[in-house]
Structures are given as structure tokens and as C-alpha cells.
Amino acid sequence: MSTIIYFLCLSLLTSVSKSINDSTSLYLSPTIFFPNYQNMLNSFKIYIYTPSKPFSFSSPTESLFFTSLQASPFVTQNPEEAHLFFVPFAANLSTRSIARFIRDLKMEFPYWNRTLGADHFYVSCAGLGYESDRNLVELKKNSVQISCFPVPEGKFVPHKDITLPPLARITHASHAPGNRTVRYLVRHNGAKDSKLAKELGNDSDFLMESEPSNEMTLVERLGSSMFCLFEDGADISGIGEALRFGCVPVMVTDRPMQDLPLMDVLSWQKIAVFVGSGGGIKEMKRVLDRTCKDDECEGTRRLGVAASQHFGWNEIPQPYDSFYMVVYQLWLRRHTIRYPRRELV
């Protein structure tokens, strides 16, 4: 099995070799990513603590990640060989119960205290806030949080936490028509009443889309649009589908977006456009026209389509899909400081 995955890795590396050579790769560090990914497949071990009682997650994405992890070759029954430790708890568990669970882990196992939880991770779709209990402080401050994208403000720690690529609504279509007759498609679920959405809706250059009647309608709209606009604070979970069908994502935001999926791997500046909302529609059009003059966005579109392979979830995980890419980001976080154990006297 590892041999097959190795050749798949070589095949994918070959397919992006041109991008690597001309410095337009969709990856932050392409020469490091592929061999490091292979090292992960060969070496990475995760120990899953036994939950105190049966539980469930709040979203299908969380559940699929956990199910895939349990069935993966990364799981070990020997905690001594584990690089990281997974702390499973239910989405609706109270903070007091979570604190008690962490306390019990610290009493039963020696692993938490070696790093104060820095080599542990947990899944919480909405993310955890800051609490006064010491066990929760260590969990929030030190452990890796895996959340659903986008994460509520104040519940994501950049460079430590990870977001899950959203599940795609489109499950069957493999490609979309290439005739792009619509310049701007606005994905505005949850932001219909925002000032920007109303302003865009009054401009004939922008096609407003909230809930298409069927899957093919969405495919046609994505495939015929040059840009897909997502407003920060609204539902921006369709960004992976936009990439897949060659609709360049435009993130309308007035803050740094540090919770984008696969931030450790993908060069987001090469596959999406980021614009502020302060200048209004006229400024937005000017920025996009300047960014994509003389068909310069074709390279952005091509890299985005290539990146979309990492946004797919599968019942049985496939190489380089969302599950493996989330695990790869965990692999990058395996190097933690381990504190010397204090002997009781």
C-alpha cells in the first residue's frame, strides 16, 4: 500500500514540476511538501484516548474526520510511540465536563504533563473560548484545536490551530462549462441583509446567488463565472467548490484571514484575491480588473483548480484529500517542547 501511495506522490510531484520551476506553485514549500508528506505516511502515529462515554460531533465534517482517523494507519495502541494524542469529547459537553476530562487524563496518563498538552489535539467545530479553569487554559492555549471553517472571532489561535475544509455541496459533477459569461458571482448566504450585499445586488455586473435550485444550477453558475465573491462574516464555506470549477475566489474582508483551510500548505495569495470593502463596488472592480488584466487570472484559476483536490472529503480517504491534508498539518505540529518530569518527594 505504501508503494502505491509513493508512486501517486511521485506522479503528483511530476504534474506540478513546471509550477515549481517557474515559482508559481500553489504550495508554500513544494520541494519540502512532497517528501515530508511521504515521511508522514511512513512514520506518523497518533494515540486516541478512550472517551468516558459514547459521543457525537455537531457537524458531518467533524464526524467524517474522526471516523477516518479511527480507521487510519496513523492510530497506534501504544501511547509511547505516539507523536500526538487526540482528546475526544462531545460537541455539547459543558466546559466543566471538559475540564474534568482533562484532569482525569492528567491523573491517569503521564503524557499531558510532559508538554502541558502541547502534543495533544481536539476537535471543536465552533472552537473553544478562554476560561479560567487551569485545565481549560492549557487545552486552549497549548493543544491544537481543529475547527470548522470559518471559525467564530476570538476562538482561533493562528499558527497553532487548524480548520477543516468544508464539505462540498456538489458531489457528482466533475467539471463545469468553460465559457465564462458572468464576471462576478456573489455567494452571499447569511449576508443578504448586509450593506455590501445590497449594494452588489443593485449592480447588474454582479450575479447574486444564495440557494440554487439544484446541483447543476450551481455547477453552471460556478463554471460560467470569472470571480466568486465571498463576504467575510457570511457563509464562505463554498470556497473549495469555487476553486474546483475555476471561479477565482474573491475574499471581501477588512481583516487578515488567518483561519483559511490548509494555511500551512497552500499559497492562498496565488489562488484567491483578497479585497477590502471600504472602497465600495467601484474600488472592488478596479482591484479585480487590475489583478486580472490581460488574462493574468488564468494562472490563478489553473492553480485554484489544482488546489481543489485537497478540498475533497471521501468516505474512504484518498491520497492528498482533505483528511490527509489535515493530518499533514498535524504532522507539522509534532515537534513540541517536552518538560522534564518532576519526581514526587
Side-chain angles (χ1 to χ4, degrees), residues 126-130 140 145 151-157 161 255:
L128 295 181
Y130 290 92
K140 177 64 179 179
Q145 174 182 277
V151 186
E153 187 176 355
K155 293 190 175 182
F156 183 86
V157 180
D161 295 340
R255 65 176 181 88

Side-chain angles (χ1 to χ4, degrees), residues 288-302:
L288 294 177
D289 289 342
R290 182 184 63 196
T291 303
C292 290
K293 63 181 180 180
D294 302 324
D295 295 325
E296 290 180 8
C297 263
E298 193 54 42
T300 303
R301 185 173 293 110
R302 175 178 55 82

Side-chain angles (χ1 to χ4, degrees), residues 62-271:
E62 293 173 288
S63 298
L64 187 53
F65 172 78
F66 182 52
T67 301
S68 299
L69 179 62
Q70 286 180 303
S72 76
F74 301 115
V75 173
T76 178
Q77 301 302 317
N78 179 10
E80 292 296 334
E81 67 176 10
H83 297 91
L84 294 182
F85 299 81
F86 179 53
V87 183
F89 53 80
N92 60 355
L93 199 64
S94 68
T95 54
R96 178 177 296 182
S97 296
I98 296 174
R100 187 184 303 117
F101 186 32
I102 300 301
R103 182 199 64 197
D104 292 344
L105 289 182
K106 295 166 71 172
M107 294 177 62
E108 184 176 353
F109 298 94
Y111 310 110
W112 183 281
N113 289 327
R114 295 187 306 187
T115 65
L116 299 182
D119 55 358
H120 288 57
F121 68 98
Y122 62 97
V123 173
S124 173
C125 190
L128 295 181
Y130 290 92
E131 303 287 344
S132 58
D133 185 281
R134 177 174 178 176
N135 296 302
L136 292 176
V137 169
E138 292 180 0
L139 180 68
K140 177 64 179 179
K141 182 180 179 181
N142 300 333
S143 300
V144 179
Q145 174 182 277
I146 300 180
S147 302
C148 299
F149 171 76
V151 186
E153 187 176 355
K155 293 190 175 182
F156 183 86
V157 180
H159 311 298
K160 177 182 75 69
D161 295 340
I162 297 170
T163 54
L164 297 166
L167 279 176
R169 287 191 292 169
I170 302 172
T171 56
H172 297 100
S174 58
H175 59 84
N179 186 18
R180 302 191 181 275
T181 58
V182 178
R183 188 158 182 82
Y184 310 105
L185 176 65
V186 183
R187 307 292 300 279
H188 68 115
N189 289 4
K192 290 183 286 187
D193 297 327
S194 73
K195 179 180 178 181
L196 178 62
K198 290 179 179 179
E199 189 178 354
L200 295 173
N202 292 327
D203 191 308
S204 59
D205 287 341
F206 294 86
L207 174 62
M208 307 297 288
E209 181 271 322
S210 55
E211 290 292 344
S213 57
N214 55 58
E215 186 173 293
M216 283 310 300
T217 301
L218 179 55
V219 171
E220 291 169 0
R221 289 181 179 177
L222 291 172
S224 62
S225 302
M226 295 182 63
F227 301 102
C228 284
L229 274 67
F230 298 88
E231 185 179 358
D232 189 15
D235 180 6
I236 53 179
S237 61
I239 191 169
E241 293 166 330
L243 291 169
R244 176 182 173 188
F245 292 103
C247 187
V248 177
V250 178
M251 311 304 294
V252 183
T253 178
D254 297 311
R255 65 176 181 88
M257 296 195 70
Q258 299 177 306
D259 62 338
L260 287 164
L262 314 182
M263 284 284 288
D264 302 320
V265 183
L266 299 181
S267 181
W268 274 98
Q269 296 294 338
K270 295 179 182 178
I271 61 176

Side-chain angles (χ1 to χ4, degrees), residues 8-18 20 30-31 34-35 320:
L8 284 171
C9 178
L10 288 180
S11 175
L12 187 54
L13 179 58
T14 302
S15 70
V16 298
S17 60
K18 181 178 183 299
I20 294 174
T31 56
F34 290 98
Y320 299 101

